Amino acid sequence: MKKIMIICVGLLISGATLTKAQAVLDKVDRATDKADRAGRTADRTKNTGDKILGFFGKKKGSTSTEKTTVKFTGVNFSTLKAINEKLQSAKGIESTKMKYSASGSSIVLEHTGSTSDILKTLQKAAPDVFSEKNIEGIDDGEISVKLK
């Protein structure tokens, strides 16, 4: 009889513990569902906003920026620095990033228009550097210049 009584008490205690554990798991499940619903609502709101903005299209004055790397051979640091300063003030160039190495240096330009258009601007900004005799190659996003 004592054994049955001990087993019954043990079952009651473990049943109460399991009920509390299930309640905690239910709370976690409800919190996860709330977070999922909030995420789906945010996604739908973003999609709606994108659709509304799509009706307006691009502004006429806005243009996209392109990147062109101008690679130099046969240039020293002071000359490269002077070229970079000239290019920073050239029309159509938004920013420059200079990289110097004794074997070959470069300036990465962020600009509007194509690579051909920016070459014309570069020839106006620094005609002695970007003369036709110094241009070794031109490709989309890259201009090669050899200085003597």
Side-chain angles (χ1 to χ4, degrees), residues 9 13 15 18 22 47 52 73 79 87 89-90 111 118 136 143:
V9 171
I13 292 173
L18 289 174
Q22 185 61 43
N47 290 340
I52 290 171
T73 53
T79 305
L87 298 183
S89 61
H111 59 88
I118 203 63
E136 284 196 321
I143 300 171

Side-chain angles (χ1 to χ4, degrees), residues 78-98:
S78 61
T79 305
L80 184 68
K81 189 175 174 183
I83 294 169
N84 188 46
E85 289 173 1
K86 285 182 184 179
L87 298 183
Q88 286 176 341
S89 61
K91 182 182 176 185
I93 296 177
E94 295 180 9
S95 69
T96 65
K97 186 174 181 181
M98 182 176 75

Side-chain angles (χ1 to χ4, degrees), residues 5-17:
M5 185 73 108
I6 293 173
I7 292 173
C8 288
V9 171
L11 287 174
L12 286 173
I13 292 173
S14 66
T17 305

Side-chain angles (χ1 to χ4, degrees), residues 3 7 26 37 59 81 87 109-110 118 135 139 145:
K3 287 184 180 182
I7 292 173
D26 289 342
R37 278 186 269 137
K59 294 180 181 177
K81 189 175 174 183
L87 298 183
L109 306 171
E110 284 193 29
I118 203 63
I135 304 295
D139 195 8
V145 179

Side-chain angles (χ1 to χ4, degrees), residues 9 25 34 40 47 52 69-70 73 76 98 103 112 129 144:
V9 171
L25 291 175
K34 278 185 179 181
R40 286 192 301 271
N47 290 340
I52 290 171
T69 304
V70 182
T73 53
N76 60 30
M98 182 176 75
S103 59
T112 56
V129 175
S144 300

Side-chain angles (χ1 to χ4, degrees), residues 24 87 107 121-122:
V24 169
L87 298 183
I107 298 176
T121 303
L122 297 176

Side-chain angles (χ1 to χ4, degrees), residues 15-133:
T17 305
L18 289 174
T19 304
K20 287 181 183 178
Q22 185 61 43
V24 169
L25 291 175
D26 289 342
K27 285 182 181 180
V28 169
D29 193 37
R30 284 192 299 270
T32 304
D33 287 342
K34 278 185 179 181
D36 287 342
R37 278 186 269 137
R40 286 192 301 271
T41 302
D43 287 342
R44 285 194 306 264
T45 304
K46 179 194 173 295
N47 290 340
T48 303
D50 289 345
K51 288 178 184 176
I52 290 171
L53 290 175
F55 290 127
F56 296 110
K58 284 188 174 181
K59 294 180 181 177
K60 290 183 180 177
S62 70
T63 54
S64 62
T65 59
E66 299 289 328
K67 283 190 177 184
T68 298
T69 304
V70 182
K71 296 183 177 181
F72 294 95
T73 53
V75 66
N76 60 30
F77 183 73
S78 61
T79 305
L80 184 68
K81 189 175 174 183
I83 294 169
N84 188 46
E85 289 173 1
K86 285 182 184 179
L87 298 183
Q88 286 176 341
S89 61
K91 182 182 176 185
I93 296 177
E94 295 180 9
S95 69
T96 65
K97 186 174 181 181
M98 182 176 75
K99 296 178 186 178
Y100 177 75
S101 173
S103 59
S105 303
S106 65
I107 298 176
V108 178
L109 306 171
E110 284 193 29
H111 59 88
T112 56
S114 67
T115 302
S116 313
D117 296 337
I118 203 63
L119 178 59
K120 292 175 187 174
T121 303
L122 297 176
Q123 288 175 329
K124 290 177 185 174
D128 53 329
V129 175
F130 295 98
S131 65
E132 291 182 9
K133 66 179 181 176

